[in-house]
Amino acid sequence: MTTTTELNREQRDAAMVERYADGETLDAIGQSYGITRERVRQIIAKVGGASAEESRQKRMAARESTARAASEAFLAEYGEVSRRMARKGVVRSDVILKLQALYPAIDVDLAEDALRESSIVFDKIQVDDIFSKEAVAAGVWYLFGADIGLSPDPAWAVVNLDLSLMSELRAALGSAEATDNDIATILGVIGAAQRHLSSNPDASITGKRYGELRDELVVALGLVSRQGAFPWPPTRQTVMKRFGGWNEALDEMGIGTTTQGRPKGLLKFTRDDYTDAVRDYYAFATDAQTNATYAAYEDWVKQDVAMGRSRPSGASVRNVYGTWADAVRSVQD
């Protein structure tokens, strides 16, 4: 005959098993019954309850569900205003700072997680963007001079280069641990390039060659920041973004424009082709519930090409739209 005590113990044990299967920890269960976690473990093992791994998986699922619900609630309240800021070019970290200033009660960690996993496309913080337009142009002058093998012309540079530009480049290159002699050589080559152009107005450099030289010389000279990025010269994409295109940059600087390469990527594909490619990829990423990233677009293009459908490359898309984020935002809008 089952006694009341035995019945109560069976009910308690069954409750322990159920709570553990739902993902509650041994410590929490033990504290509610005034017994040790080890005793709870023994009881569950004896009754044949869930394994530790099963319980852990349940806890993880519960946490993920809670986090997902919190993110959805955050985006329901702040998602649209965050998207509007992103369209203005505000990066994610600054969006969070602005929200925190106007809505002090928000959870910053929750905001970071929710916005990072959302479909909102934020511009990436670019180290190159900290430079003035003159410093960006100086990068082109430097690699233009390096490409044709000019020796530094310190006398021309010291007379003609603006002190503000020289100071900006010294600060940027100093942060990359370039030596004083390295900086003097670079400034001298910039001066030599500008002087050379006065008697050789047709001299030029292609965007492709600029990118190749940048990759070679920044490594050779050790122009790598402490964060591992190449601070200066800026990337080809940054030059194009600041001036509106590669030939536009050369025009504004007085360097002969190049006729090589495609004008903004539109020789092989029409503008409609670019719009279709980005829109189709964005729909694909949305259906797959993945972020519409530049790297994933490149993989998607390879798959389409393998099936016989030609698509513009990621680099060409970025060239046409200015940035990858702008391309994605164009089809979202």
Side-chain angles (χ1 to χ4, degrees):
M1 180 178 179
T2 303
T3 66
T4 301
T5 301
E6 291 172 335
L7 182 60
N8 289 341
R9 185 181 297 114
E10 289 177 0
Q11 292 172 340
R12 181 203 66 176
D13 293 352
M16 287 184 183
V17 169
E18 183 176 355
R19 290 171 62 177
Y20 190 59
D22 287 340
E24 198 167 345
T25 65
L26 296 173
D27 281 325
I29 297 171
Q31 288 174 13
S32 66
Y33 290 106
I35 59 179
T36 66
R37 69 185 305 279
E38 176 59 21
R39 181 56 184 153
V40 175
R41 187 193 66 75
Q42 292 172 353
I43 292 171
I44 292 173
K46 180 180 179 181
V47 176
S51 68
E53 178 60 21
E54 291 170 338
S55 182
R56 187 183 71 83
Q57 292 290 346
K58 212 56 172 291
R59 285 195 299 276
M60 288 177 61
R63 291 193 195 105
E64 290 172 1
S65 177
T66 300
R68 185 163 52 251
S71 291
E72 290 172 354
F74 176 89
L75 291 173
E77 187 166 358
Y78 303 107
E80 181 52 33
V81 70
S82 297
R83 190 181 300 277
R84 285 159 56 192
M85 284 189 277
R87 288 172 181 159
K88 288 180 172 290
V90 183
V91 298
R92 186 174 64 233
S93 58
D94 288 351
V95 165
I96 294 171
L97 290 175
K98 294 180 76 173
L99 288 174
Q100 187 180 25
L102 273 301
Y103 306 97
I106 71 166
D107 184 326
V108 173
D109 291 334
L110 171 60
E112 171 66 29
D113 291 340
L115 293 177
R116 185 177 61 249
E117 299 300 326
S118 74
S119 64
I120 301 173
V121 181
F122 295 98
D123 287 340
K124 292 184 179 179
I125 298 175
Q126 297 291 336
V127 176
D128 295 331
D129 288 345
I130 67 173
F131 297 120
S132 67
K133 197 171 185 180
E134 291 73 22
V136 173
V140 179
W141 283 114
Y142 170 56
L143 293 180
F144 166 65
D147 187 34
I148 55 180
L150 296 178
S151 298
D153 191 338
W156 197 98
V158 75
V159 172
N160 294 281
L161 295 185
D162 289 339
L163 178 59
S164 59
L165 172 62
M166 296 170 69
S167 298
E168 184 177 0
L169 294 185
R170 282 177 59 85
L173 295 168
S175 70
E177 300 182 351
T179 67
D180 288 343
N181 286 336
D182 289 335
I183 296 171
T185 297
I186 290 168
L187 293 172
V189 171
I190 293 171
Q194 293 182 354
R195 183 178 183 181
H196 175 82
L197 196 72
S198 63
S199 56
N200 299 273
D202 294 329
S204 189
I205 183 172
T206 66
K208 179 180 179 182
R209 180 60 178 157
Y210 175 91
E212 292 171 348
L213 281 173
R214 179 180 184 272
D215 290 345
E216 293 172 8
L217 291 180
V218 292
V219 174
L221 292 174
L223 302 183
V224 181
S225 72
R226 294 181 180 89
Q227 290 74 36
F230 296 158
W232 188 92
T235 64
R236 174 190 175 187
Q237 286 76 19
T238 294
V239 175
M240 295 171 66
K241 179 179 178 182
R242 297 294 286 275
F243 287 90
W246 184 254
N247 282 345
E248 288 81 357
L250 298 185
D251 271 336
E252 190 165 332
M253 295 165 60
I255 300 176
T257 57
T258 65
T259 57
Q260 300 179 39
R262 301 173 190 163
K264 294 213 172 192
L266 293 177
L267 188 60
K268 182 176 179 181
F269 299 98
T270 67
R271 186 58 186 245
D272 286 343
D273 290 334
Y274 280 84
T275 301
D276 290 344
V278 178
R279 184 171 52 234
D280 290 349
Y281 166 67
Y282 183 73
F284 167 82
T286 301
D287 289 342
Q289 297 184 329
T290 60
N291 290 332
T293 65
Y294 176 88
Y297 172 82
E298 293 274 73
D299 292 337
W300 179 79
V301 166
K302 292 176 183 177
Q303 293 173 11
D304 262 21
V305 169
M307 292 186 292
R309 180 165 188 178
S310 184
R311 297 283 198 177
S313 68
S316 294
V317 170
R318 192 161 53 186
N319 185 5
V320 168
Y321 288 91
T323 68
W324 174 251
D326 287 337
V328 175
R329 278 197 289 261
S330 73
V331 297
Q332 285 184 324
D333 294 341

